Amino acid sequence: MKKKAALALIVILMIAVLPVCAGNVFALSVWIAAAAMMVTNLLAVLRNRRQSAPFSPQSEIRNVHTLIIGDMIDPEITGTTTDFVQISAPGRSLQSCYEILRHTHSILDDKGGACVIFAVKEGNDEGFSVFDLPFFHTITIRKYGLGKLNRFRKFPALICPVRAILMALGAKSRNYRESSALPDEALSFCHERGYSLRIFLR
Amino acid sequence: MSSPKTYGELKPVIFSALKEGINRFDTAPSYRTEGVIGDVLKSAENELGLSRKDYWIQTKIDAWQMTEGNIRKHFDDALEKFGTEYVDALLVHWPVPEKMSDTWTQVAGLKSSGLVRFTGICNVRMRQLESIAGWDELPDIIQIERSPLRVCADEEEFCRRNGIELQAYSPLCKMDHRLRDSALLHDIAARHGVSIGQAVMRWHVETGAVPIFATTKPGRVREYSAVTDFSLDDADIAEISTLDCNHKMYLESFACPGF
């Protein structure tokens, strides 16, 4: 099977590269676009994977003070300079932030003083993206019917190219302001566990 | 027995354990070792002259089984894999909030019908235990990740007060460098003429917990079975407990959303 896949890859590369060698400008453009897409995809996936690394059993990152979940936000805006874990992806919704919180909050210091920050674009209340899936348990993927999306978790550039580019570039937004309107469900979740919750909107 | 193993790999370990007086075997559907443990224990009955009462089988209900709901069906599958008519202990692997009440009712029903001798819950902290305290049917066993890096004194006290057996999984925290390189542990182990692994295992026993360790090495089984040959004094126990930094390898919420 691996031999067949390798052979197919070689044939595809030859089809793509030969016209380029022959000086075909259109083929060259397609080739450059495809290469850029692959690089973008790789960078976005790696950045997403790095964010989920602290949650592995091998990680020593535990009992952190602050968990930042949401859009690409500069930690300086939240006043968090050290001792935080950030899980950010462009265009993350409020619903997704809360679901990620339900999956990741055990990394916070349960002896008190822990803080959760949501950073979302105003009005972006619902929906999930491929960048949320590394943080979700199988039962959550089933609960929300995210099986199809999960098949593309390694190919974000294919299904959400703009978000993938922003993710790959690590673009951060500075146009956030703290909101006093806190979502009830998340607020009571945090309250029961002794965490404080802050929300930033743009 | 927390990852897939073959009959050939497990037989020497399980036989070594049984010969050294360790007769409890813990697994879960997600470890995919139920069938092979059953096969090896059947061999032990034939080759070592044991009966079913001489060993203890403990398995769990996984989170995905809780969401599917039909606990009896999953339990029957487990019995078939073990090739036995009952299990000694059935534990709820993760306290999935939305499914806990329904699952516990079904698990308690299995105990009433004699198919399970003892019931339990894994991976709970004080927040869950405080709610469990109000249940009609308390668990017989609580299994949590516990090591000198995570002493869980409140959970230990809760179990002692309510007559619940406390089991500690990952009792050595996979020999984290903070244990492996601890001068304090090396000093205590040297004073008693044991390894630091044995000292930590003894610390578990002395602080009221049953350590659940995983190994594929018969030699390791012999090493840890010798923890009954010595004891730690109160000062040793207190010193080891000072290593506590609330470090856990497994984040509960990552395996149990909404934990």
Side-chain angles (χ1 to χ4, degrees):
Chain A
M1 192 64 194
K2 276 185 181 174
K3 276 183 185 172
K4 278 185 186 171
L7 194 65
L9 189 65
I10 289 167
V11 170
I12 291 167
L13 284 174
M14 282 176 69
I15 291 168
V17 173
L18 282 177
V20 175
C21 297
N24 184 325
V25 176
F26 177 73
L28 181 65
S29 311
V30 171
W31 180 238
I32 289 171
M37 195 173 174
M38 280 194 284
V39 170
T40 302
N41 193 76
L42 182 68
L43 289 175
V45 168
L46 287 178
R47 191 177 286 273
N48 198 213
R49 192 177 292 171
R50 266 204 302 275
Q51 290 185 352
S52 64
F55 303 93
S56 83
Q58 289 76 34
S59 171
E60 283 193 20
I61 301 172
R62 295 293 182 265
N63 303 311
V64 299
H65 180 267
T66 303
L67 185 55
I68 303 173
I69 307 169
D71 209 334
M72 311 288 274
I73 189 171
D74 192 331
E76 279 182 24
I77 294 169
T78 67
T80 304
T81 51
T82 57
D83 199 17
F84 65 89
V85 166
Q86 184 164 7
I87 305 167
S88 53
R92 180 161 279 147
S93 72
L94 191 62
Q95 182 188 24
S96 169
C97 287
Y98 177 55
E99 203 51 65
I100 290 174
L101 171 66
R102 280 169 38 85
H103 285 76
T104 56
H105 73 89
S106 290
I107 204 164
L108 286 166
D109 186 355
D110 58 9
K111 295 278 192 290
C115 177
V116 178
I117 292 169
F118 285 173
V120 290
K121 189 179 175 186
E122 200 156 9
N124 184 16
D125 293 342
E126 290 185 0
F128 298 100
S129 85
V130 73
F131 296 118
D132 305 333
L133 299 173
F135 304 96
F136 286 176
H137 193 282
T138 321
I139 61 174
T140 307
I141 290 172
R142 280 189 200 159
K143 177 181 167 185
Y144 290 107
L146 301 173
K148 275 187 186 170
L149 192 63
N150 195 34
R151 273 180 238 142
F152 289 95
R153 65 195 286 173
K154 288 181 180 167
F155 309 103
L158 280 181
I159 53 166
C160 50
V162 176
R163 284 185 186 185
I165 291 167
L166 292 173
M167 184 74 171
L169 295 174
K172 288 185 176 65
S173 174
R174 291 183 173 273
N175 306 317
Y176 277 90
R177 57 187 165 72
E178 188 157 9
S179 167
S180 54
L182 302 171
D184 289 343
E185 202 174 6
L187 192 61
S188 81
F189 184 90
C190 289
H191 180 72
E192 282 169 20
R193 289 156 183 81
Y195 311 143
S196 65
L197 173 67
R198 297 168 72 194
I199 183 161
F200 286 75
L201 295 174
R202 75 175 161 89
Chain B
M1 308 302 176
S2 57
S3 60
K5 299 284 180 300
T6 63
Y7 178 89
E9 285 173 308
L10 277 193
K11 188 180 175 187
V13 185
I14 291 180
F15 272 47
S16 171
L18 290 166
K19 285 173 187 167
E20 297 295 335
I22 297 173
N23 65 348
R24 285 189 178 199
F25 303 97
D26 173 82
T27 184
S30 51
Y31 306 166
R32 288 177 283 153
T33 52
E34 288 172 321
V36 72
I37 288 175
D39 292 344
V40 174
L41 289 171
K42 280 278 174 288
S43 300
E45 285 187 19
N46 296 331
E47 295 174 36
L48 303 177
L50 302 177
S51 72
R52 175 66 185 84
K53 284 181 288 182
D54 295 323
Y55 56 83
W56 170 292
I57 293 176
Q58 175 171 302
T59 191
K60 306 184 186 87
I61 297 294
D62 280 334
W64 66 271
Q65 295 176 318
M66 292 172 76
T67 57
E68 286 188 3
N70 193 343
I71 302 301
R72 179 59 195 259
K73 178 191 168 294
H74 294 300
F75 178 73
D76 285 343
D77 288 346
L79 282 185
E80 197 180 324
K81 286 179 188 162
F82 286 123
T84 181
E85 289 174 357
Y86 68 93
V87 297
D88 297 277
L90 181 66
L91 278 55
V92 178
H93 207 163
W94 295 97
V96 179
E98 302 89 350
K99 301 289 174 185
M100 194 59 216
S101 172
D102 178 48
T103 303
W104 189 247
T105 304
Q106 295 187 59
V107 168
L110 290 169
K111 184 180 176 186
S112 305
S113 59
L115 295 166
V116 170
R117 292 177 61 213
F118 300 98
T119 56
I121 306 176
C122 307
N123 299 297
V124 281
R125 299 301 311 261
M126 276 315 293
R127 191 160 42 80
Q128 287 85 8
L129 289 175
E130 280 161 5
S131 120
I132 285 169
W135 291 1
D136 293 338
E137 177 94 21
L138 283 182
D140 302 299
I141 297 163
I142 291 294
Q143 189 183 104
I144 54 174
E145 181 184 340
R146 183 178 189 258
S147 75
L149 298 180
R150 192 191 193 218
V151 173
C152 299
D154 292 343
E155 287 79 0
E156 186 274 318
E157 206 272 332
F158 177 92
C159 289
R160 191 162 35 79
R161 194 162 18 95
N162 289 285
I164 296 171
E165 178 177 292
L166 178 66
Q167 297 182 349
Y169 76 84
S170 298
L172 301 169
C173 199
K174 293 198 174 166
M175 207 45 101
D176 183 280
H177 68 92
R178 284 163 288 188
L179 296 180
R180 193 179 59 237
D181 303 331
S182 163
L184 186 153
L185 272 182
H186 279 283
D187 177 49
I188 290 172
R191 269 192 277 127
H192 292 278
V194 296
S195 68
I196 59 168
Q198 287 174 311
V200 172
M201 290 295 191
R202 185 68 207 179
W203 170 85
H204 278 289
V205 174
E206 303 262 13
T207 53
V210 178
I212 309 277
F213 65 92
T215 184
T216 54
K217 297 173 185 167
R220 198 70 82 195
V221 172
R222 284 191 289 277
E223 180 187 345
Y224 295 149
S225 67
V227 296
T228 51
D229 299 344
F230 71 101
S231 59
L232 300 172
D233 59 35
D234 290 347
D236 294 332
I237 294 165
E239 275 189 317
I240 293 174
S241 298
T242 62
L243 295 171
D244 186 20
C245 57
N246 197 29
H247 178 81
K248 52 195 164 195
M249 289 190 296
Y250 299 97
L251 293 172
E252 297 97 338
S253 61
F254 217 59
C256 177
F259 176 84

